[in-house]
Amino acid sequence: MNIFRLAGDMTHLFSVLVLLLKIHTIKSCAGISLKTQELYAIVFTTRYLDLFTTYISLYNTIMKLIFLGSSISIVWYMRHHKVVRRSYDKDQDTFRHYLLMLPCLLLALLINEKFTFLEVMWAFSLYLEAVAILPQLVLLQRTRNIDNLTGQYVLLLGAYRALYVLNWIYRYFTEENYVHWITWVSGIVQTLLYADFFYYYFQSWKNNVKLQLPA
Amino acid sequence: PPEGSFHDEL
């Protein structure tokens, strides 16, 4: 465990905590995309199937359970909680997220580290995670007056991705046989999506105008 | 651990 990996996991954890804080204390999920949250719930469910087959460390097991539990409970709150669900921007959150799943599944069947059920599901989860933020970015673009918690949530997620890239570079140079092309390529695609978004986000913040992404 | 069947990242 290197410092980049730990910092990456912690920013990921904080991003989830910020979201849960917003939902629990303010009882609001305004500006949060249910489509993205559903994709994350699927991402963690399909990636952590090895929870039952492989023990890595107590840290690893606990973090997996936290990400599984939090992503599923966020979806539950947004869909079913009688107060929280009323703040959901349903009409703005129109991204057809299920259309992302089929190409990711096909890609996972074609490109995987090993053609087994767990490995295909693992590759699928990485491809899906790379694009899972898209509905959230589209919703942010449409929403006026992004509140602080939503902005911090996306900022923390972006930091988590960037730190993971640093972690891979560090591991590549310090560990023997540490080569994971699928993780790297899908991770870099994901990080670029955030970088592109943040570029426009900071531009609009600097110029103090409403965020407007190019078509 | 066997190569390619062991993922220790989250």
Side-chain angles (χ1 to χ4, degrees):
Chain A
M1 174 82 81
N2 60 68
I3 188 71
F4 304 113
R5 160 80 196 280
L6 184 63
D9 285 348
M10 289 305 115
T11 44
H12 191 186
L13 188 62
F14 283 136
S15 74
V16 174
L17 290 179
V18 163
L19 196 49
L20 283 171
L21 182 81
K22 184 177 154 91
I23 288 172
H24 276 274
T25 60
I26 310 171
K27 294 275 183 286
S28 162
C29 62
I32 300 298
S33 167
L34 176 61
K35 307 295 177 75
T36 284
Q37 296 306 319
E38 286 181 347
L39 291 178
Y40 279 143
I42 294 166
V43 163
F44 295 131
T45 311
T46 50
R47 185 173 310 162
Y48 298 157
L49 290 171
D50 67 351
L51 207 52
F52 304 104
T53 60
T54 318
Y55 178 78
I56 293 159
S57 65
L58 187 62
Y59 170 84
N60 204 282
T61 302
I62 290 173
M63 292 295 271
K64 280 176 175 171
L65 290 173
I66 290 174
F67 289 133
L68 268 173
S70 58
S71 62
I72 292 167
S73 69
I74 287 165
V75 169
W76 184 86
Y77 267 99
M78 290 183 74
R79 290 179 83 107
H80 302 297
H81 189 279
K82 67 182 198 302
V83 181
V84 175
R85 73 174 186 195
R86 274 188 256 143
S87 58
Y88 169 49
D89 303 317
K90 196 179 176 194
D91 300 330
Q92 306 267 38
D93 191 23
T94 54
F95 199 100
R96 286 192 293 215
H97 63 324
Y98 49 87
L99 292 180
L100 293 173
M101 291 172 60
L102 191 64
C104 289
L105 186 62
L106 292 176
L107 196 61
L109 287 167
L110 289 171
I111 306 174
N112 47 63
E113 288 195 358
K114 207 175 170 190
F115 196 72
T116 63
F117 178 69
L118 284 186
E119 284 295 322
V120 170
M121 286 293 105
W122 179 79
F124 168 73
S125 82
L126 285 168
Y127 302 143
L128 193 62
E129 190 188 355
V131 291
I133 194 65
L134 285 174
Q136 181 64 63
L137 296 184
V138 170
L139 182 61
L140 279 185
Q141 184 199 359
R142 288 178 180 170
T143 313
R144 285 171 189 276
N145 306 321
I146 299 166
D147 64 77
N148 284 338
L149 286 178
T150 306
Q152 280 151 14
Y153 169 67
V154 180
L155 195 72
L156 285 165
L157 274 179
Y160 145 62
R161 294 316 313 173
L163 286 160
Y164 252 72
V165 173
L166 295 178
N167 155 59
W168 298 328
I169 296 170
Y170 181 87
R171 290 188 74 171
Y172 177 76
F173 287 110
T174 56
E175 285 175 37
E176 256 184 280
N177 303 322
Y178 180 76
V179 180
H180 281 291
W181 281 108
I182 292 174
T183 317
W184 295 345
V185 174
S186 51
I188 288 165
V189 168
Q190 190 181 1
T191 311
L192 291 176
L193 287 179
Y194 283 95
D196 183 65
F197 171 76
F198 282 126
Y199 173 78
Y200 292 104
Y201 187 75
F202 286 122
Q203 287 282 318
S204 69
W205 173 75
K206 200 174 72 183
N207 302 324
N208 207 14
V209 293
K210 183 182 175 288
L211 179 66
Q212 200 84 57
L213 299 182
Chain B
E3 199 185 323
S5 64
F6 188 77
H7 309 294
D8 62 357
E9 287 174 357
L10 292 163

